[in-house]
Amino acid sequence: MRDTTPQGTYKVQALDRAFAVLDLLGESETPLGLAQVAASLQLHKSTAHRFLMVLERHRMVERTANGKFRLGLRLFDLGNRAIEQYDLRDRAQPHLRRLVAETEETAHLALLEAARVIYIDKIEPTRAVRMITRIGASNPVHCTSVGKAILAFLPPERAAEVLRRIRFERMTHRTIATLEALRVELEKTRRRGYAVDDEELEEGLRCIAVPVLDAQRLPVAAVSVSGPSFRVTAAKLPSIANHLLQCVRGISVDMGYMPTGRGARAVASA
Amino acid sequence: MRDTTPQGTYKVQALDRAFAVLDLLGESETPLGLAQVAASLQLHKSTAHRFLMVLERHRMVERTANGKFRLGLRLFDLGNRAIEQYDLRDRAQPHLRRLVAETEETAHLALLEAARVIYIDKIEPTRAVRMITRIGASNPVHCTSVGKAILAFLPPERAAEVLRRIRFERMTHRTIATLEALRVELEKTRRRGYAVDDEELEEGLRCIAVPVLDAQRLPVAAVSVSGPSFRVTAAKLPSIANHLLQCVRGISVDMGYMPTGRGARAVASA
DNA sequence: GACGCGCGTCCCATCATATGAGAAGCTAAA
DNA sequence: TTTAGCTTCTCATATGATGGGACGCGCGTC
């Protein structure tokens, strides 16, 4: 396994011990007494006591009515801040780079907002013709592969909400123009596990996308590969889709959404 | 006087510093560099560096691509374990969902800690405008309905303890600003059995809350319904309060606080 | 009631530990 | 190339954590 612990050096005994206490309390089903903590971690009573008091002052642990210790709510607070400021973008970037290297086409990372998709990152292959997309820009869901990828795997009620909001603007002669046609297309997307935009947003541009699923297997974003139709041919789609699936799986693991690297296919659940 | 300041003593410098680092990163919108951290906390570069390396080893912080630091996912993990131990949240959820279905407004579940309330769960109606509250966040007791709901039903000596700690920050022009005014409000809350926050935290936001009582009839949490003042009108309050009371009664039963489903009204004991 | 036991709290002399000055690296911009 | 700003690393020092041990409390047993 690629070890992410480059240096075992850098030690602060007090911190290692304190975190061991938190770990222990986190593992334990029930609150633990001072003596139990001290014994489990081979700490002297007085040492354990001091740590617990300090941790309590920081609300990292708290005491139950009978004086036992358990994890405190400050952790809950910090934890929520951690994922909040945590952005998908930084995590996804290395995976996107690899994807671009593999496919030699442009990759996008996008989020769904209302009935539009917003591109939060874009990676281009070095020698490709520049695409005109701008990070931060948005497009309607119904004519983008990222939009369809997210929509297809959203729970029905949330998908319905988005569908209601779509105004079927026509971008090219191939743009999906009706709710019914879109429904059919989403079903197709679910079955094959990836979404395709075949010149529906822009003439000559073909894209393919898969959703990034969170721990609840809900799509939080989508990754796409886009390129000129003459290079991104129908025959190549399955192979590109495969790279995409590997890519989003990597992202999910890095986000902590999937416990291990192996897990089943990221999509194709329904 | 019997000091409630449990311990100003008990110090472990290393821990205080480490938690200061986590606080800082939690406050900051963007990831911070080593130099920024060291400067903000008046630590020496090398000290800050050592701490960050250790924190990183424990996955309490992580580094962005450009080497800056932000909170790590271990905190998210521990934070979730922290609330798991109160299984209040899990047990309450179905009841909250029903409440939201009935009222079509946002419901919150909150705990009291020190002189603040911490939101541990939030359920939003499907088509509501999203509220900005973040799970894990906290607010002062005196300007929230959940805070007042808990405070009003706490035994006098424990309530006094909390009251002493309140710093009457003003959030809107309606925020309760004095201890006396708050006392009157709490008395009113006790009499009618539910607490109201009438734009005291945020302009245009009205909330109503009732406490969740444990087996000893002591409040352990509170449930609130919040919505824009134009929808949550004064006329609707009694009806919403009724739904709330049913909701917390259900929670109490599920938690094993009340032997049967019928028991008397959850509140209105005093 | 007295005793023993387990547990949490507290104190303080000792020395292991964290500390921080500073040097060395690294990268990007001038 | 130099400079500036940042991170990484080393090491002698004394600060700050450590843990032995005393104390007190509550509980169950004799």
Side-chain angles (χ1 to χ4, degrees):
Chain A
M1 148 169 99
R2 176 248 356 228
D3 197 356
T4 325
T5 321
Q7 66 287 13
T9 166
Y10 289 118
K11 222 186 152 189
V12 177
Q13 191 190 49
L15 283 191
D16 288 337
R17 289 174 161 186
F19 291 139
V21 170
L22 294 181
D23 279 8
L24 181 68
L25 294 178
E27 293 301 331
S28 164
E29 294 298 319
T30 77
L32 301 175
L34 169 61
Q36 291 170 288
V37 172
S40 304
L41 301 176
Q42 321 234 56
L43 292 179
H44 196 271
K45 273 188 313 173
S46 64
T47 306
H49 182 248
R50 188 164 4 92
F51 275 106
L52 285 165
M53 297 312 271
V54 174
L55 288 170
E56 188 188 14
R57 180 156 47 77
H58 286 278
R59 293 173 36 225
M60 294 298 188
V61 308
E62 54 185 42
R63 310 194 73 160
T64 60
N66 54 39
K68 296 190 180 296
F69 297 89
R70 69 167 160 217
L71 295 182
L73 289 176
R74 186 81 234 276
L75 288 167
F76 186 57
D77 183 11
L78 284 173
N80 282 294
R81 288 171 195 255
I83 31 152
E84 194 183 69
Q85 66 176 219
Y86 181 72
D87 64 43
L88 183 59
R89 191 181 150 173
D90 291 353
R91 295 266 170 166
Q93 217 169 54
H95 300 282
L96 294 177
R97 289 193 191 286
R98 188 157 44 78
L99 180 65
V100 170
E102 289 163 346
T103 60
E104 308 238 49
E105 297 293 353
T106 302
H108 281 101
L109 175 65
L111 300 178
L112 176 70
E113 180 154 307
R116 302 180 69 80
V117 287
I118 299 186
Y119 300 100
I120 61 170
D121 210 350
K122 169 173 80 161
I123 310 280
E124 294 180 320
T126 37
R127 65 259 175 71
V129 267
R130 303 218 119 198
M131 293 186 57
I132 33 81
T133 46
R134 180 176 53 78
I135 291 179
S138 69
N139 273 323
V141 257
H142 70 285
C143 52
T144 58
S145 59
V146 280
K148 294 192 274 186
I150 295 176
L151 207 43
F153 294 95
L154 233 34
E157 63 283 4
R158 287 195 46 205
E161 217 177 301
V162 175
L163 287 174
R164 257 194 307 109
R165 301 202 195 184
I166 298 178
R167 296 172 39 244
F168 288 91
E169 315 163 53
R170 234 195 160 100
M171 315 298 283
T172 72
H173 69 285
R174 290 187 134 143
T175 304
I176 292 175
T178 70
L179 188 55
E180 273 324 297
L182 181 55
R183 284 223 161 90
V184 170
E185 174 74 12
L186 291 178
E187 182 52 36
K188 214 155 122 190
T189 300
R190 271 186 290 272
R191 265 187 285 110
R192 75 184 153 208
Y194 59 86
V196 173
D197 151 23
D198 188 13
E199 309 196 353
E200 296 158 37
L201 175 66
E202 202 173 315
E203 299 283 352
L205 180 69
R206 196 173 279 152
C207 312
I208 165 172
V210 303
V212 178
L213 304 181
D214 69 9
Q216 285 76 47
R217 319 226 86 203
L218 295 177
V220 291
V223 175
S224 71
V225 166
S226 316
S229 303
F230 66 84
R231 281 210 308 262
V232 181
T233 59
K236 282 194 197 159
L237 293 186
S239 142
I240 296 177
N242 219 44
H243 287 302
L244 273 169
L245 287 170
Q246 268 187 277
C247 174
V248 297
R249 193 177 318 149
I251 294 171
S252 287
V253 170
D254 266 15
M255 291 291 288
Y257 293 153
M258 289 174 96
T260 99
R262 38 165 275 290
R265 299 181 309 296
V267 184
S269 42
Chain B
M1 121 166 113
R2 173 251 352 231
D3 199 356
T4 323
T5 321
Q7 64 288 29
T9 164
Y10 290 118
K11 222 185 152 190
V12 177
Q13 191 190 52
L15 285 190
D16 287 338
R17 288 173 162 189
F19 291 139
V21 170
L22 294 181
D23 278 9
L24 181 68
L25 294 177
E27 292 301 333
S28 164
E29 294 298 320
T30 80
L32 300 176
L34 168 61
Q36 291 169 287
V37 172
S40 304
L41 303 176
Q42 321 234 59
L43 293 178
H44 272 250
K45 284 180 307 175
S46 63
T47 305
H49 182 248
R50 188 161 7 89
F51 274 101
L52 285 164
M53 296 313 273
V54 173
L55 289 170
E56 187 187 16
R57 179 156 49 77
H58 286 278
R59 293 177 35 230
M60 295 298 190
V61 307
E62 51 183 47
R63 311 194 72 161
T64 60
N66 54 39
K68 295 190 179 296
F69 297 89
R70 69 164 154 227
L71 296 182
L73 288 175
R74 185 82 234 274
L75 287 168
F76 187 57
D77 182 12
L78 284 172
N80 283 314
R81 290 169 192 256
I83 32 153
E84 243 171 57
Q85 304 193 354
Y86 300 78
D87 45 18
L88 181 57
R89 187 182 186 220
D90 293 328
R91 306 216 187 202
Q93 217 169 53
H95 300 283
L96 294 177
R97 287 192 193 288
R98 190 156 44 77
L99 180 64
V100 171
E102 290 163 350
T103 60
E104 307 240 66
E105 297 293 352
T106 302
H108 282 100
L109 175 66
L111 300 177
L112 176 70
E113 199 176 53
R116 299 180 72 80
V117 287
I118 299 187
Y119 299 101
I120 63 169
D121 209 354
K122 168 173 80 162
I123 310 280
E124 300 182 303
T126 37
R127 67 262 176 67
V129 267
R130 304 215 118 198
M131 294 187 56
I132 32 77
T133 45
R134 178 175 57 76
I135 291 180
S138 66
N139 272 323
V141 257
H142 70 287
C143 51
T144 58
S145 59
V146 280
K148 294 193 273 185
I150 296 177
L151 207 42
F153 294 95
L154 232 37
E157 63 283 6
R158 285 194 49 206
E161 214 171 277
V162 175
L163 288 173
R164 256 197 309 107
R165 300 204 195 183
I166 297 179
R167 295 174 38 247
F168 287 90
E169 305 158 64
R170 244 208 149 91
M171 315 298 282
T172 72
H173 69 287
R174 291 187 134 142
T175 304
I176 293 176
T178 70
L179 189 55
E180 274 324 301
L182 181 55
R183 285 223 161 89
V184 170
E185 173 74 14
L186 291 177
E187 182 50 38
K188 212 155 124 193
T189 301
R190 270 187 291 272
R191 265 187 285 110
R192 74 183 154 208
Y194 59 87
V196 173
D197 151 22
D198 186 13
E199 310 197 0
E200 296 157 37
L201 174 66
E202 205 176 312
E203 300 284 349
L205 181 70
R206 194 174 281 151
C207 312
I208 164 171
V210 302
V212 178
L213 304 180
D214 69 8
Q216 285 77 48
R217 321 227 84 204
L218 296 177
V220 291
V223 175
S224 71
V225 165
S226 317
S229 304
F230 65 82
R231 280 211 306 264
V232 181
T233 58
K236 283 194 197 158
L237 293 185
S239 143
I240 296 177
N242 220 44
H243 287 302
L244 273 168
L245 287 170
Q246 269 186 274
C247 174
V248 298
R249 194 175 318 146
I251 294 171
S252 288
V253 170
D254 267 13
M255 291 292 289
Y257 294 154
M258 288 173 99
T260 99
R262 36 164 277 288
R265 299 181 308 297
V267 183
S269 41

